[in-house]
Amino acid sequence: MTLLTVTGLTITGRHLLVDDVDLTVAAGETLGLVGESGSGKSLTARAVAGLLPKGLTATGSVLLGDGAGMQLIGARERVLRSVRGNRISLLMQDPFTMLNPLRTAGLHIAESLPKRPRGGTLREEVVRRLAEVGIDDPAVADRYPFQLSGGMRQRVAMAAALAGDPELLIADEPTTALDATTQHEILMLLRKLQEARGMGVVLITHDLRVAFELCDRVSVMYAGRIVERGPGAHVAKEPAHPYTSGLLAALPSVTRTLPVLTGIPGNVPPAAEVTEVCAFAARCGQATAECTKARPVLRELGAGRHTACLHEVRPRNDHAPEPAPAVQTSRPFFTAEPGEPLLRIEDLRKAYGTHVALGGVALEVRAGESVGVVGESGSGKTTLSRCVLGLVTPDGGRIELAGEDITPRGRRTRAARAHRLVQCVFQDPSTSLNPALTVGSTLAEAAAQGPAEGRLSVADLLDLVGLPAAYAVRKPRALSGGERQRVAIARALAVRPALLICDEPVASLDVSVQAHVLELLRGVSRDLGTSLLFITHDLAVVRQIAERMVVLFKGAVVESGETAGLLDRPRHDYTRRLVASVPPTP
């Protein structure tokens, strides 16, 4: 039975945003929507639920139900309210966008129930709904969102989204911010609930591993259009559009270290600028003059496969690509004998009340080396980095950088040299960039904090991270997410640090942009002599970036060693669980 039929969906505001999209979802089926940021995935989902932002208009057809169905395009808000939560429900990436911080978990679920339960109390029904999403502790119903872990918040958000027993669930990046094991648990739970209810699911994600593991069919979006669709297994094995092939080629592998990480050059163009041509032509290595003369239509390849490419797509290129060019600068940032210890942490301890964040952690980073730190949320990764940065005062232990004791001790101010020796790149570059300043002003201000000798100019710093000098006059809002992260890296490198701490720097980036940023960080370590302490929950990423790695679990190092050997032959049960939770690379 068909639950949803979308035909010719077009979304416009000041400009065209989504262009003539067709989708269908059957009962019990999972449809994946994949593509880079700016492709129109989330806007398509919001149009289906009647939740487009003000100023945007949807045309075309969105039919809910089999046969004639209920037309949602142009429906009154009263009709849409009767549908949302009851027949169609949304599960968002950040549960804080769904959960009111002033309401308990139980109240969120209770207010989403379609009617009062029969044969039991409201409390019993709330507890039953929590148990359905794997929360067996009834006391969770009385807790507020800030009292729950990220995985628990997402489970509560899922319970609230499913409380109305919807026919169709739209899950928009539901596991992007979660660690590997929690992500795996949430996805397996979603699959189990879907099978038990016969529910249709639209899964929006930029994680191709998740899409191809979970989805029956996949539609690939680019610049507001569907450029390829078909059964997930077939699309993963033999992509029929160069864009899909490029996304798959950019995926990091957890089973092998790739000599070069290759992303797709350029950015997604606005849909309004490519209405009469192949939208991907400017970024495609197979493009011909024919591609810029007319817009390719989706043509059928058989077995439910469609592609909007005029040509036969070349097979995926799995041989070793050309080495990446060296990151250019006049000399290494930090001179030390290879193998000489740069960062040494001994018996580092930190507790917050009764919660032990770090229980005696020891690790070492050598000059020019990249060391990965992996573990679930709450394992102590971020507390460790904040201690090294001087943002958290540990309860005990010692932190030594380049032979100098930099352990934070309450009110004592660290020497300026210590601040210059270590810098950080965060997950969200917005935390590092002042939106009121131009890129050039930000970089000049940062460079002035470093030593005068060998100081890099703004143009030098932009060139260092692969951005044109003309970007100096732009403000952060005029840049893409990947470009903002490159500027954040340039800002961190402006003081010529010996150690760069990277705290989930690619977690929120599209796979192609992620490949570019990881290759840049590889070059920073290789060519500038800068050591990396790379914090991540993504084992495929740590395989590509780190020579050695340590595994944190509940504030303790449970395993450490050379990255490839540790991931190929994990010894600790916790490490084995982490490795087993990673979806296979297509």
Side-chain angles (χ1 to χ4, degrees):
M1 182 180 74
T2 302
L3 292 180
L4 180 73
T5 305
V6 178
T7 308
L9 178 64
T10 300
I11 302 173
T12 55
R14 296 178 60 186
H15 306 286
L16 178 68
L17 299 171
V18 171
D19 192 4
D20 196 24
V21 165
D22 296 344
L23 299 170
T24 60
V25 184
E29 179 187 41
T30 300
L31 171 69
L33 273 183
V34 303
E36 294 171 285
S37 298
S39 294
K41 307 185 300 296
S42 293
L43 279 180
T44 298
R46 288 183 175 275
V48 169
L51 289 173
L52 282 177
K54 288 184 178 180
L56 300 187
T57 303
T59 58
S61 174
V62 175
L63 287 175
L64 181 62
D66 207 6
M70 177 188 290
Q71 179 59 251
L72 301 184
I73 294 294
R76 294 179 180 272
E77 180 60 24
R78 174 175 53 83
V79 175
L80 294 173
R81 284 178 184 170
S82 69
V83 168
R84 287 195 293 261
N86 296 316
R87 300 190 65 186
I88 298 178
S89 194
L90 272 76
L91 180 64
M92 311 302 286
Q93 173 179 345
D94 184 357
F96 275 127
T97 62
M98 295 182 63
L99 303 180
N100 186 331
L102 302 179
R103 289 179 176 265
T104 63
L107 280 176
H108 282 96
I109 296 169
E111 68 183 7
S112 300
L113 292 171
K115 55 187 177 182
R116 293 291 177 180
R118 296 178 181 176
T121 66
L122 181 61
R123 171 78 178 190
E124 289 172 341
E125 180 65 11
V126 167
V127 170
R128 187 184 75 80
R129 297 287 183 158
L130 285 172
E132 188 180 38
V133 296
I135 299 177
D136 297 320
D137 183 3
V140 172
D142 301 316
R143 294 178 189 163
Y144 291 90
F146 71 89
Q147 295 175 309
L148 304 175
S149 68
M152 290 279 275
R153 282 195 296 270
Q154 194 64 293
R155 287 173 186 263
V156 170
M158 184 182 294
L162 298 178
D165 299 322
E167 302 166 32
L168 178 69
L169 177 69
I170 300 174
D172 192 351
E173 301 280 7
T175 60
T176 296
L178 302 177
D179 53 67
T181 53
T182 306
Q183 172 181 272
H184 181 74
E185 290 169 1
I186 294 292
L187 291 174
M188 293 304 102
L189 173 62
L190 181 58
R191 174 183 282 173
K192 177 182 175 182
L193 292 172
Q194 178 190 18
E195 291 173 352
R197 291 165 172 253
M199 180 175 61
V201 174
V202 177
L203 178 65
I204 299 169
T205 181
H206 66 257
D207 190 330
L208 299 188
R209 291 189 189 87
V210 168
F212 291 124
E213 180 185 37
L214 208 66
C215 298
D216 303 297
R217 291 186 298 116
V218 170
S219 289
V220 183
M221 287 195 74
Y222 184 78
R225 308 176 191 171
I226 301 293
V227 296
E228 181 171 359
R229 65 185 179 208
H234 294 176
V235 174
K237 186 177 180 181
E238 295 182 1
H241 195 281
Y243 178 59
T244 313
S245 183
L247 291 177
L248 288 166
L251 271 177
S253 171
V254 74
T255 58
R256 63 191 181 103
T257 305
L258 303 174
V260 179
L261 295 166
T262 307
I264 303 171
N267 300 302
V268 180
E273 295 181 4
V274 287
T275 56
E276 303 298 329
V277 298
C278 172
F280 190 61
R283 304 174 70 189
C284 180
Q286 293 184 234
T288 63
E290 189 180 3
C291 301
T292 60
K293 292 179 180 178
R295 171 179 173 169
V297 297
L298 275 172
R299 58 186 177 91
E300 188 172 359
L301 301 175
R305 296 291 306 277
H306 293 80
T307 180
C309 183
L310 299 174
H311 309 290
E312 293 296 324
V313 175
R314 297 170 188 155
R316 286 174 58 184
N317 186 4
D318 290 327
H319 70 268
E322 291 296 319
V327 174
Q328 298 294 333
T329 188
S330 56
R331 57 181 177 175
F333 277 16
F334 184 77
T335 55
E337 290 296 322
E340 179 182 330
L342 174 68
L343 174 69
R344 192 188 302 248
I345 297 174
E346 300 174 349
D347 193 30
L348 196 63
R349 288 173 277 114
K350 179 63 181 180
Y352 299 97
T354 59
H355 172 67
V356 177
L358 297 173
V361 169
L363 66 83
E364 184 178 277
V365 180
R366 296 187 280 267
E369 184 184 36
S370 178
V371 174
V373 180
V374 302
E376 296 172 306
S377 298
S379 61
K381 306 187 302 295
T382 297
T383 300
L384 173 67
S385 69
R386 290 173 68 84
C387 287
V388 177
L389 289 166
L391 301 175
V392 167
T393 302
D395 299 330
R398 177 183 172 88
I399 304 172
E400 187 178 286
L401 184 64
E404 180 180 349
D405 184 359
I406 64 166
T407 312
R409 291 184 173 87
R411 296 177 178 274
R412 195 184 83 172
T413 303
R414 297 201 300 180
R417 178 172 180 269
H419 286 293
R420 291 197 300 267
L421 282 173
V422 57
Q423 291 290 302
C424 190
V425 178
F426 298 98
Q427 176 177 342
D428 183 0
S430 299
T431 59
S432 304
L433 305 178
N434 186 334
L437 295 180
T438 64
V439 168
S441 297
T442 294
L443 296 181
E445 181 181 68
Q449 307 303 312
E453 183 183 358
R455 181 175 295 168
L456 299 178
S457 67
V458 169
D460 290 335
L461 287 167
L462 288 171
D463 184 59
L464 198 65
V465 296
L467 291 176
Y471 275 39
V473 299
R474 298 188 182 185
K475 290 186 177 180
R477 65 174 179 271
L479 307 180
S480 68
E483 289 169 340
R484 283 195 294 270
Q485 193 63 291
R486 286 175 179 261
V487 173
I489 294 171
R491 182 183 182 276
L493 295 175
V495 298
R496 304 171 68 88
L499 175 69
L500 192 61
I501 297 178
C502 301
D503 193 351
E504 300 280 12
V506 297
S508 59
L509 300 179
D510 296 318
V511 62
S512 178
V513 179
Q514 174 182 273
H516 287 302
V517 172
L518 288 176
E519 193 60 37
L520 168 62
L521 289 170
R522 275 179 166 183
V524 166
S525 178
R526 179 187 64 240
D527 304 323
L528 303 184
T530 304
S531 300
L532 302 182
L533 185 64
F534 198 97
I535 296 168
T536 182
H537 65 259
D538 191 327
L539 299 187
V541 165
V542 82
R543 177 87 186 223
Q544 308 309 316
I545 199 73
E547 300 151 35
R548 289 190 302 114
M549 63 179 284
V550 298
V551 182
L552 279 182
F553 178 60
K554 294 184 178 179
V557 176
V558 296
E559 191 164 1
S560 64
E562 183 263 332
T563 299
L566 193 152
L567 291 177
D568 291 342
R569 297 174 296 279
R571 297 184 177 182
H572 195 276
D573 287 343
Y574 176 65
T575 313
R576 292 193 194 103
R577 197 162 76 243
L578 287 177
V579 173
S581 67
V582 180
T585 302

